[in-house]
Amino acid sequence: MNGAHRAWLQQAIQRIEADQTRSAETHLIRLDLARFPGIPLYLKDESAHPTGSLKHRLARSLFLYALCNQWIGPQTLLIESSSGSTAVSEAYFARMLGLPFIAVVPASTAAPKVNAIRFYGGKIHVVDDPRDVYATAQRLAVETNGHYLDQFTYAERATDWRGNNNIAESIFAQLAEEEHSVPTWIVCGAGTGGTAATIGRFIRYRRYPTRLCVADPAGSVFHRHFADRSVVALPAGCASRIEGIGRARVEPSFIPSVIDRMIAVADEESIGAMMVLSRRIGRRLGGSTGTNFHACLTIMREMADRGETGSIVTLLCDDGDRYSSTYHNESWLKEHGIDGGSQAAALGKLLEPDTLP
């Protein structure tokens, strides 16, 4: 590596680190539900990141990992396969470094996400079949001599799971003054599996008794693989409507051995839970947050039935305004046969008097 390239590399890493230093830690919102006394729920609000989602952390880690491996240079074209949020964050960092970026996204990706990628200077390559995003991204990287960031392979290794201000370390630090400072459960979803791998490893490394639950869309392979390791992919046509989590194949970054439990959540249940929680905290949330919340309610009911107390932490993954044309659009829900309203009504009865009528 010549002197000019080394100088550019050092400056690129410094810019990303400076961005992290400027960014405040995301809030941990406490939610007390009257039906579950002694079981506070905490929402880690990842929508507060500069690019509006949990994937900001992943994108930062992927860029630093690629830079330190010298896979990225001052002229490198960057390419990613994504359902939207990771690509939004990667486009942000690509623009920061003055590098071109292409996102390979499924045709079903919500329009506001596509617009956000373009806002940060990224270009869009659309594929009709979500299963084609991997091969298409790899092909484009070969044809252009670019670099495929490949979140699905590198998510579990790019983040320092021992600490260094990862999401797990942040959660435990923010709970330090709470009555249940060590959570009984942490609940998250899995798209790449990287967040679950980071949290699960951190829990074991720090020797906490906390257990990790991964909430997974019913139309995903992850919970099937967790139950039976021989299941690694779903047949064509099997898919979830919940963007950002759930996959048709087991991704390389999904590490089932660090997970204590998985809960499968139907799309209607995710949307219903999203609606209820959106009303409860007074702003729109996304479908994956609904998936997490539905799983949390399952665990809370079980704990309450056993007379247990303790805290639960889950992730508020992104801003619901990204789904104004989908999950928060009655016409879209009807077109796709998702009756989230009935699920919301059922959950509303469970949570009374906490939820609005």
Side-chain angles (χ1 to χ4, degrees):
M1 182 169 57
N2 61 39
H5 190 168
R6 182 178 289 276
W8 178 88
L9 178 64
Q10 291 175 343
Q11 184 182 56
I13 293 172
Q14 181 182 25
R15 285 180 178 177
I16 293 175
E17 291 293 271
D19 179 77
Q20 170 68 14
T21 302
R22 291 194 301 270
S23 302
E25 188 48 78
T26 60
H27 294 173
L28 196 61
I29 302 168
R30 176 166 173 154
L31 196 64
D32 291 289
L33 302 177
R35 292 295 179 91
F36 305 111
I39 311 176
L41 176 64
Y42 296 87
L43 308 173
K44 181 69 167 162
D45 186 5
E46 294 294 283
S47 72
H49 285 293
T51 53
S53 84
L54 166 69
K55 298 300 185 178
H56 191 86
R57 295 180 188 270
L58 173 58
R60 175 180 178 272
S61 294
L62 288 170
F63 267 73
L64 289 174
Y65 189 72
L67 285 165
C68 292
N69 280 311
Q70 296 189 46
W71 296 341
I72 297 177
Q75 306 298 325
T76 305
L77 169 64
L78 302 175
I79 300 161
E80 183 62 285
S81 53
S82 173
S83 61
S85 289
T86 302
V88 172
S89 299
E90 288 172 336
Y92 170 91
F93 286 109
R95 186 175 75 170
M96 180 185 297
L97 303 185
L99 299 175
F101 177 77
I102 298 175
V104 180
V105 302
S108 59
T109 303
K113 288 184 181 180
V114 173
N115 293 338
I117 294 168
R118 291 187 172 125
F119 173 80
Y120 290 118
K123 294 184 179 180
I124 305 297
H125 186 102
V126 177
V127 296
D128 293 327
D129 189 338
R131 294 173 299 172
D132 292 339
V133 294
Y134 318 96
T136 301
Q138 184 62 58
R139 175 178 58 78
L140 289 174
V142 171
E143 291 175 354
T144 61
N145 197 30
H147 174 63
Y148 176 25
L149 289 159
D150 195 1
Q151 60 169 320
F152 298 106
T153 295
Y154 297 114
E156 58 88 9
R157 67 197 71 172
T159 300
D160 183 358
W161 48 266
R162 297 171 187 84
N164 191 25
N165 196 35
N166 67 40
I167 190 169
E169 184 176 55
S170 175
I171 287 169
F172 281 89
Q174 289 177 306
L175 284 171
E177 301 301 325
E178 303 295 312
E179 66 268 33
H180 300 290
S181 58
V182 176
T184 302
W185 286 93
I186 296 178
V187 178
C188 69
T192 62
T195 299
T198 297
I199 294 172
R201 289 165 172 166
F202 182 87
I203 288 170
R204 285 154 180 77
Y205 178 63
R206 294 295 179 91
R207 303 183 300 280
Y208 289 121
T210 304
R211 287 170 288 177
L212 173 64
C213 173
V214 170
D216 199 36
S220 168
V221 73
F222 288 142
H223 64 274
R224 294 173 171 86
H225 179 71
F226 181 76
D228 180 355
R229 298 295 198 272
S230 69
V231 180
V232 296
L234 296 179
C238 295
S240 166
R241 292 287 183 184
I242 307 303
E243 287 189 30
I245 58 172
R247 306 295 297 177
R249 74 169 197 180
V250 176
E251 305 297 350
S253 286
F254 181 70
I255 313 296
S257 56
V258 303
I259 299 167
D260 296 291
R261 178 180 183 182
M262 293 196 71
I263 296 177
V265 183
D267 290 351
E268 291 81 2
E269 293 173 330
S270 293
I271 301 305
M274 175 202 77
M275 292 174 175
V276 168
L277 188 57
S278 293
R279 292 198 295 264
R280 181 64 172 81
I281 70 172
R283 58 190 172 97
R284 285 178 169 181
L285 304 173
S288 58
T289 299
T291 308
N292 291 344
F293 183 51
H294 196 281
C296 288
L297 291 176
T298 298
I299 293 172
M300 294 171 83
R301 280 180 285 188
E302 294 172 352
M303 290 177 63
D305 288 344
R306 293 191 296 263
E308 297 174 358
T309 58
S311 59
I312 299 174
V313 180
T314 193
L315 308 183
L316 195 165
C317 305
D318 55 10
D319 192 316
D321 285 343
R322 288 184 171 180
Y323 309 99
S324 58
S325 61
T326 55
Y327 307 142
H328 294 281
N329 184 299
E330 288 294 335
S331 297
W332 186 92
L333 292 174
K334 185 176 180 180
E335 178 185 348
H336 292 87
I338 299 176
D339 186 8
S342 295
Q343 291 292 329
L347 289 176
K349 292 179 181 178
L350 171 68
L351 298 183
E352 289 174 352
D354 292 288
T355 55
L356 298 173

